């Protein structure tokens, strides 16, 4: 069945960890945008939600760092971070091992992908799920792109990964929704934490909503590091989602720089035909 939903959103830990430190109106607007995205996803009645996130050394490290990985389990636990810090209660999140395997086998036809039967969710998945599926009643299929430890997957390979996920979703009878999660510009765990390049973010989102493959893949890592920080490498997750949209155009439903959250909080959707 064709992919039924495709979008992208932020996953910054500050969204939950430092919620009370944001302006009340801003915090409520961020949470409302996530809430609307969750409603839209649930309205499509998906059998599973594929979440393309960035590896933060929660499951893989430099002794074994796959460029791409997909979870293959019937359940996952998260968040891996301290509950008192992230302010999300650790819980068991449902998966679907059989469906994951079908998708992995299809993705493998064109992209080399690792798979894991054990997977701990960190903020990259847990923060979005906290808002999108607060009852944790939707099976999740986690997918990771190495956005942390150089050498990073080339942007063109992130695009190919998104295309492969779309082909896999289209090949199974289950109803599959998909989101990419990450930052746009941000400088986590550095003296520049809280810095946001809003102009760079808006230009990236312009290219993303246009689903302009050439423009999206034209960034170099050196330029991204200079203008978007090391957190900007997570544009790979948004790019994979754009590729999965198969040429559809997008809409930015919310984007506002929130320095205390250290990112332009973003919720966006590709207008794919369900």
């Amino acid at each position: 069945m064709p992919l039924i939903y495709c979008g992208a959103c932020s996953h910054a830990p500050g969204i939950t960890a430092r919620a009370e430190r944001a302006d009340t109106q801003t915090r409520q607007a961020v949470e409302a945008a996530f809430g609307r995205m969750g409603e839209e996803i649930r309205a499509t009645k998906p059998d599973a939600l594929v979440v393309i996130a960035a590896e933060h050394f929660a499951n893989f490290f430099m002794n074994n760092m796959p460029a791409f990985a997909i979870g293959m389990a019937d359940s996952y636990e998260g968040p891996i971070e301290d509950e008192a810090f992230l302010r999300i209660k650790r819980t068991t999140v449902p998966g679907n091992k059989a469906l994951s395997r079908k998708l992995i086998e299809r993705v493998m036809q064109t992209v080399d992908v690792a798979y894991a039967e054990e997977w701990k969710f960190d903020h990259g998945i847990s923060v979005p799920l906290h808002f999108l599926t607060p009852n944790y009643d939707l099976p999740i299929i986690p997918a990771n792109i190495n956005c942390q430890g150089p050498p990073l997957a080339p942007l063109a390979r992130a695009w190919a990964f998104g295309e492969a996920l779309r082909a896999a979703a289209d090949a199974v009878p289950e109803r599959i929704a998909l989101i990419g999660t990450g930052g746009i510009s941000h400088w986590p765990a550095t003296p520049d934490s809280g810095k946001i390049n809003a102009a760079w973010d808006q230009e990236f989102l312009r290219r993303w909503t246009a689903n302009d493959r050439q423009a999206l893949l034209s960034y170099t890592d050196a330029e991204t590091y200079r203008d978007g920080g090391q957190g900007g490498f997570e544009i790979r997750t948004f790019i994979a989602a754009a590729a999965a949209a198969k040429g559809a155009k997008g809409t930015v439903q919310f984007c506002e720089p929130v320095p205390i959250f250290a990112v332009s909080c973003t919720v966006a959707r590709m207008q794919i035909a369900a």
Side-chain angles (χ1 to χ4, degrees), residues 29-235:
V30 170
E31 293 176 356
F34 272 104
R36 288 190 297 272
M37 182 183 224
E39 291 170 359
E40 291 174 355
I41 291 171
R42 292 191 297 273
T44 65
K45 296 181 170 56
D47 294 306
L49 172 63
V50 174
V51 182
I52 308 172
E55 178 55 47
H56 299 116
F57 296 147
N59 293 282
F60 303 104
F61 196 61
M62 298 311 292
N63 61 336
N64 185 11
M65 177 60 74
F68 308 105
I70 297 175
M72 192 174 73
D74 282 323
S75 65
Y76 304 93
E77 186 178 280
I80 197 170
E81 291 94 344
D82 181 67
E83 293 175 319
F85 160 71
L86 198 60
R87 301 190 181 182
I88 297 176
K89 185 176 177 56
R90 190 164 295 116
T91 189
T92 298
V93 180
N96 185 325
K97 183 175 182 177
L99 177 56
S100 288
R101 177 166 177 168
K102 287 193 291 185
L103 295 177
I104 291 165
E105 288 175 341
R106 184 63 181 79
V107 168
M108 282 180 169
Q109 301 305 308
T110 55
V111 173
D112 292 329
V113 61
Y115 58 88
E117 293 188 358
E118 297 180 9
W119 195 301
K120 300 290 187 182
F121 290 177
D122 68 6
H123 69 272
I125 295 179
S126 290
V127 168
L129 294 188
H130 176 72
F131 298 105
L132 302 181
T133 62
N135 296 322
Y136 299 104
D137 52 359
L138 175 62
I140 303 301
I141 297 176
N144 263 12
I145 299 177
N146 172 27
C147 304
Q148 188 84 357
L152 306 178
L155 299 187
R157 298 302 297 158
W159 183 277
F161 185 52
E163 288 183 320
L165 283 167
R166 174 60 184 267
D170 289 352
V172 298
E174 290 85 356
R175 298 172 63 84
I176 305 295
L178 178 148
I179 61 169
T181 82
I184 314 180
S185 69
H186 64 303
W187 284 255
T190 74
D192 286 326
S193 181
K195 176 182 175 182
I196 298 168
N197 187 341
W200 192 81
D201 294 345
Q202 289 297 326
E203 172 57 22
F204 175 80
L205 289 173
R206 184 193 67 78
R207 301 182 191 192
W208 191 86
T209 55
N211 210 338
D212 186 336
R213 180 182 185 277
Q214 182 176 355
L216 286 169
L217 302 189
S218 69
Y219 292 95
T220 68
D221 283 348
E223 291 167 341
T224 296
Y225 185 76
R226 180 193 67 204
D227 298 328
Q230 84 278 17
F233 294 146
E234 292 179 354
I235 60 174

Side-chain angles (χ1 to χ4, degrees), residues 242-266:
K246 215 172 183 178
K249 308 304 182 187
T251 302
V252 176
Q253 297 166 305
F254 184 87
C255 183
E256 184 171 340
V258 186
I260 196 62
F261 295 165
V263 74
S264 287
C265 292
T266 302

